[in-house]
């Protein structure tokens, strides 16, 4: 009898063990589904009929998805797999400095508005940004510069299909894609992110002596964004032939932004009134991260306030004079232990010798919106690009009666506590001396002569 009882108990434990194992497998599979690359999830969503209904039929061409690439949008996107080929293509396009549609819309002038768009791999968002740009008044007088840190033929084809204004592509040449197993990518000899200092020294990994201020080691996927932004700004202001005498505004956008049709009108209005209302304002900004939008009240309102990175980093712009001020402190930007380019600019702003912090001339009724619910900093399991895009489309449509104001009313504020909180230390991720040196070296490249390359 005891033997039978023992066998019964053993069976119960075996069954319970198998059940627990099954639960663990199911949870693991579930988590794998929940946490798979949010960019893939976002791009698996086809553009909804609701979204298409608010896009003019002639612009549907920018939203067409080729079936063979319908579900791919991570860093494993289809395209040239040979790294050497990609590097050669990047070098060719960067050397050529080719401006598409220049024969139609004329050459770049010194006061041409340059719209610099930082692009990674989120193709669905990029499509809708392009659609919004296509509907903007006076877009044919601007130059769009798409700055890529991932070389992909589908993205390239989309950008080069733009027919409503001048377009240039520049390619960040130090990307993870082109350096997958060496710095600035991830070298297999690099220290693990969470290795303790003593452990890293024993491992003799390459960057053992350079953890960040929180004791962590670099992660290439995070450092790349700051490198790319800094390279792009240097490239546009200091290295392109077409910008050699440029004194106009450079507006910074990203692939997951969306613009209102009067955003260029507002840029001209802000620029023309800033000299009178705020001569000390270095930065113009069209985007804010508001929860609600009251265009009937704020459509023609402007706020003058201290610039803050997390509040005024969307749809903001400045000219060469401000860039030269930034360049005077490039060592501070490159040495600051923060992997975010915008917080690094904030640090620079708060530590300008003998000068106040950057002031921003800000649209209270935004003309640039953030549609990127999925991606780098947004890991949502239920990502649906169409839902957010549809909301923004409707918001812009409802705000139309309050667009194109003939004048603006400016109000100066000291900013809230968040505006004026002094950075005591960065967010980390930028302790590696190699990142700091690469950043600094980007400023040492001079203006490059345009090479004439035949494009088939």
């Amino acid at each position: 009898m005891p033997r039978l009882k023992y066998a019964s108990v053993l069976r119960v434990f075996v069954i319970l063990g198998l059940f627990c194992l099954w639960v663990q497998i199911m949870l693991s599979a579930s988590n794998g589904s929940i946490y798979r690359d949010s960019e893939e999830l976002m791009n698996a969503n086809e553009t909804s009929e609701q979204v298409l209904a608010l896009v003019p039929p002639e612009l549907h061409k920018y939203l067409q998805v080729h079936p063979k690439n319908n579900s791919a949008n991570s860093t494993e996107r289809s395209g040239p797999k040979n790294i050497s080929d990609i590097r050669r293509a990047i070098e060719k396009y960067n050397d050529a400095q080719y401006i598409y549609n220049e024969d139609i819309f004329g050459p770049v002038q010194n006061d041409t508005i340059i719209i610099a768009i930082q692009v990674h791999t989120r193709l669905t968002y990029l499509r809708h940004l392009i659609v919004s740009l296509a509907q903007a008044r006076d877009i044919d007088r601007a130059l769009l510069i798409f700055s890529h840190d991932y070389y992909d033929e589908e993205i390239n084809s989309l950008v080069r299909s733009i027919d409503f204004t001048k377009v240039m592509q520049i390619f960040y040449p130090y990307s993870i894609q082109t350096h997958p197993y060496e710095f600035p990518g991830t070298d297999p000899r690099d220290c693990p992110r969470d290795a303790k200092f003593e452990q890293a020294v024993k491992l003799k990994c390459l960057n053992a002596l350079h953890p960040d201020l929180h004791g962590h080691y670099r992660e290439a996927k995070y450092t790349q964004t700051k490198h790319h932004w800094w390279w792009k700004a240097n490239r546009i202001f200091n290295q392109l032939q077409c910008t050699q005498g440029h004194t106009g505004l450079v507006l910074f956008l990203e692939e997951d932004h969306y613009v209102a049709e009067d955003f260029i009108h507002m840029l001209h209005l802000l620029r023309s009134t800033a000299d009178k209302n705020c001569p000390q304002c270095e930065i113009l900004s069209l985007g804010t991260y508001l929860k609600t939008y009251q265009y009937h009240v704020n459509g023609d309102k402007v706020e003058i306030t201290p610039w803050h990175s997390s509040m005024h980093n969307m749809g903001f712009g400045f000219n060469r004079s401000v860039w030269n001020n930034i360049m005077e402190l490039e060592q501070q930007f490159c040495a600051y232990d923060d992997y975010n380019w915008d917080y690094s600019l904030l640090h620079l702003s708060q530590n300008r010798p003998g000068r106040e912090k950057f002031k921003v001339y800000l649209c209270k009724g935004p003309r640039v919106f953030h549609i990127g619910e999925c991606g780098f900093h947004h890991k949502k399991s239920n990502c649906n690009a169409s839902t957010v895009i549809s909301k923004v489309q409707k918001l812009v449509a409802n705000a139309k009666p309050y667009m194109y104001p003939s004048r603006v009313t400016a109000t100066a504020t000291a900013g809230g506590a968040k505006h004026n909180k002094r950075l005591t230390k960065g967010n980390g991720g930028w302790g590696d001396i190699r990142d700091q040196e690469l950043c600094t070296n980007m400023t040492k490249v001079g203006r490059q002569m345009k090479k004439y390359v035949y494009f088939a």
Side-chain angles (χ1 to χ4, degrees):
M1 187 69 180
R3 214 184 241 177
L4 290 173
K5 188 174 181 181
Y6 174 78
S8 299
V9 171
L10 186 62
R11 273 198 301 273
V12 169
F13 275 108
V14 169
I15 292 169
L16 283 172
L18 290 172
F19 176 76
C20 290
L21 181 62
W22 176 81
V23 170
Q24 199 168 19
I25 291 171
M26 293 302 292
L27 284 173
S28 177
S30 174
N31 286 339
S33 173
I34 290 173
Y35 295 110
R36 65 193 168 102
D37 193 333
S38 57
E39 291 179 9
E40 291 184 19
L41 284 167
M42 181 269 292
N43 279 271
N45 297 308
E46 296 181 0
T47 303
S48 69
E49 293 298 323
Q50 190 178 23
V51 169
L52 281 175
L54 293 173
V55 175
E58 66 272 16
L59 300 181
H60 285 192
K61 62 185 179 182
Y62 297 119
L63 301 177
Q64 290 176 354
V65 179
H66 301 293
K68 64 179 180 179
N69 288 326
N70 192 31
S71 63
N73 201 35
S74 68
T75 51
E76 298 299 321
R77 291 180 55 81
S78 61
K81 297 298 183 184
N82 187 305
I83 293 173
S84 297
D85 289 345
I86 293 173
R87 286 183 176 180
R88 281 193 290 270
I90 286 174
E91 183 178 7
K92 180 182 78 168
Y93 286 115
N94 282 348
D95 283 347
Q97 302 183 34
Y98 188 76
I99 300 175
Y100 297 91
N101 306 323
E102 189 176 27
D103 55 330
I104 301 171
F105 299 104
V108 177
Q109 305 295 327
N110 288 345
D111 61 350
T112 295
I113 290 177
I114 294 176
I115 301 170
I117 303 163
Q118 187 154 322
V119 182
H120 183 47
T121 61
R122 292 179 289 174
L123 182 56
T124 294
Y125 290 139
L126 181 61
R127 292 183 186 280
H128 288 279
L129 169 61
I130 290 171
V131 166
S132 70
L133 289 166
Q135 298 175 79
R137 183 185 293 180
D138 294 330
I139 192 66
D140 57 325
R141 301 180 185 178
L143 169 65
L144 304 182
I145 298 183
F146 292 84
S147 183
H148 305 265
D149 60 28
Y150 193 85
Y151 186 91
D152 177 83
E153 288 299 348
E154 190 173 5
I155 294 174
N156 293 343
S157 295
L158 171 65
V159 170
R160 292 167 194 166
S161 72
I162 292 173
D163 58 9
F164 52 82
T165 194
K166 296 183 288 292
V167 173
M168 175 185 276
Q169 284 185 290
I170 58 177
F171 293 87
Y172 174 60
Y174 313 112
S175 69
I176 297 172
Q177 182 193 29
T178 55
H179 300 76
Y181 308 116
E182 60 181 330
F183 179 87
T186 302
D187 192 306
R189 298 169 295 169
D190 284 349
C191 300
R193 175 193 182 273
D194 296 319
K196 301 299 181 186
F197 181 79
E198 296 79 8
Q199 178 190 8
V201 171
K202 287 181 181 178
L203 287 172
K204 296 182 179 179
C205 40
L206 289 181
N207 50 338
L209 301 181
H210 303 289
D212 69 9
L213 59 90
H214 300 294
H216 300 304
Y217 291 95
R218 79 183 296 269
E219 294 178 276
K221 64 180 180 180
Y222 294 114
T223 59
Q224 175 168 276
T225 304
K226 178 173 172 177
H227 279 309
H228 183 183
W229 190 92
W230 185 243
W231 176 85
K232 172 188 65 181
N234 274 277
R235 179 79 175 160
I236 291 172
F237 282 107
N238 298 342
Q239 297 169 14
L240 297 177
Q241 285 299 108
C242 69
T243 61
Q244 188 165 11
H246 188 262
T247 56
L249 190 75
V250 176
L251 181 74
F252 292 89
L253 297 178
E254 297 181 13
E255 64 186 8
D256 61 349
H257 291 169
Y258 190 99
V259 300
E261 66 175 73
D262 73 335
F263 86 100
I264 291 179
H265 169 84
M266 289 303 296
L267 275 178
H268 287 307
L269 194 54
L270 293 183
R271 189 167 56 179
S272 64
T273 59
D275 290 341
K276 176 183 176 182
N277 295 331
C278 185
Q280 73 275 27
C281 285
E282 293 106 329
I283 296 174
L284 306 181
S285 181
L286 298 178
T288 57
Y289 296 90
L290 298 175
K291 299 296 183 184
T292 59
Y293 304 90
Q294 297 178 314
Y295 282 91
H296 64 289
V297 176
N298 293 322
D300 62 349
K301 299 290 193 305
V302 172
E303 182 180 0
I304 299 167
T305 192
W307 184 82
H308 191 278
S309 54
S310 62
M311 302 177 77
H312 310 128
N313 63 356
M314 179 173 60
F316 79 108
F318 49 79
N319 60 22
R320 182 178 301 280
S321 175
V322 177
W323 173 249
N324 289 339
N325 291 336
I326 292 172
M327 285 292 290
E328 290 174 6
L329 302 173
E330 53 93 9
Q331 288 285 352
Q332 288 192 33
F333 180 93
C334 289
Y336 188 56
D337 193 355
D338 195 311
Y339 69 93
N340 298 287
W341 61 264
D342 51 350
Y343 273 91
S344 300
L345 274 185
L346 180 60
H347 167 74
L348 183 150
S349 170
Q350 292 180 345
N351 293 276
R352 298 199 295 172
R355 295 184 182 180
E356 293 184 355
K357 293 175 287 188
F358 287 135
K359 286 283 182 65
V360 60
Y361 202 57
L362 168 72
C363 266
K364 295 197 72 173
R367 264 58 176 195
V368 176
F369 306 88
H370 182 246
I371 57 174
E373 289 298 313
C374 318
F376 192 65
H377 287 297
H378 303 271
K379 303 297 182 184
K380 292 190 175 183
S381 60
N382 60 340
C383 280
N384 191 314
S386 289
T387 301
V388 181
I389 293 163
S390 177
K391 287 180 181 178
V392 173
Q393 285 177 318
K394 291 173 183 176
L395 189 156
V396 171
N398 291 335
K400 197 164 185 176
Y402 309 102
M403 291 184 178
Y404 301 102
S406 59
R407 56 186 294 275
V408 292
T409 303
T411 304
T413 69
K418 187 174 181 179
H419 281 70
N420 295 304
K421 183 179 179 181
R422 189 170 187 83
L423 292 177
T424 53
K425 61 181 181 179
N427 291 298
W430 198 263
D432 198 308
I433 194 69
R434 294 173 298 175
D435 284 313
Q436 298 174 25
E437 289 176 349
L438 175 60
C439 178
T440 300
N441 287 337
M442 288 177 188
T443 67
K444 296 176 181 177
V445 179
R447 197 169 301 280
Q448 300 170 345
M449 290 299 295
K450 180 176 181 178
K451 293 183 182 178
Y452 293 91
V453 179
Y454 174 75
F455 289 88

